[in-house]
Amino acid sequence: MGRLWDKYMGTLRPDGAATVLSEPELRAALLALNGTDVPFGVRGAGGEGADLVAEWRVMEPATGSGMSRRQVERTFKIWMRLLPGEREVRAVDEQWAVTRAGSPPGRTVRREHGRGPIRHARKEWTRERGPDGRHRLVETFRLNTRDMKDPLRNTVVDAGWTWRGAHKP
């Protein structure tokens, strides 16, 4: 069940041609993602059971109308522990979701928490009239957790390290 479990957990190994970076160089490369065009931030974990944490907060557009109007605020975190002896980064995904409803405004109606491999994607479109007068769909909201996980995993694998999904950092 090893390879199947690795696939489920999102484990990714470098190819033999990758140049192996030291732990400080890998840490610097992961922190350097902050300066790029990514929707999340990477910071030191500050003794929270990991070395680094990537965090992304998203406010999804409200759905429904009137009393049944609901809005979801999501926080995605990836906790990373760097293991230089094994040239491996152990990563734990975590998600919080808070759903707020209409009356009174901002009233919390549900809280959710999940840990383990998180895959979440959502898109929304609206119909608009284009310059030629024809109706078309225009994307108004896009959320995909791969936009967070892929840059982190690619940075680790390009550094010659293994990215291993785990339940505990």
Side-chain angles (χ1 to χ4, degrees), residues 29-52:
L30 288 166
L31 290 169
L33 289 172
N34 287 325
T36 61
D37 192 23
V38 294
F40 60 90
V42 180
R43 62 176 170 80
E48 298 177 63
D51 297 312
L52 297 170

Side-chain angles (χ1 to χ4, degrees), residues 69-141:
R69 188 170 178 81
R70 296 181 183 274
Q71 187 166 28
V72 180
E73 178 183 349
R74 294 189 188 276
T75 302
F76 301 100
K77 286 187 178 184
I78 299 178
W79 301 90
M80 295 170 278
R81 168 139 345 252
L82 307 180
L83 303 170
E86 301 168 35
R87 284 198 333 255
E88 184 173 283
V89 173
R90 294 219 177 119
V92 176
D93 299 357
E94 197 165 24
Q95 172 187 216
W96 288 271
V98 177
T99 304
R100 303 187 196 288
S103 182
R107 180 177 60 97
T108 300
V109 293
R110 188 170 74 200
R111 294 179 190 272
E112 300 172 54
H113 176 259
R115 194 171 199 159
I118 294 174
R119 295 166 184 91
H120 185 85
R122 180 175 168 203
K123 286 187 179 184
E124 286 190 18
W125 296 270
T126 58
R127 276 181 68 141
E128 291 183 1
R129 192 175 298 270
D132 59 356
R134 302 178 81 181
H135 286 282
R136 62 183 180 160
L137 289 176
V138 176
E139 188 177 291
T140 56
F141 179 76

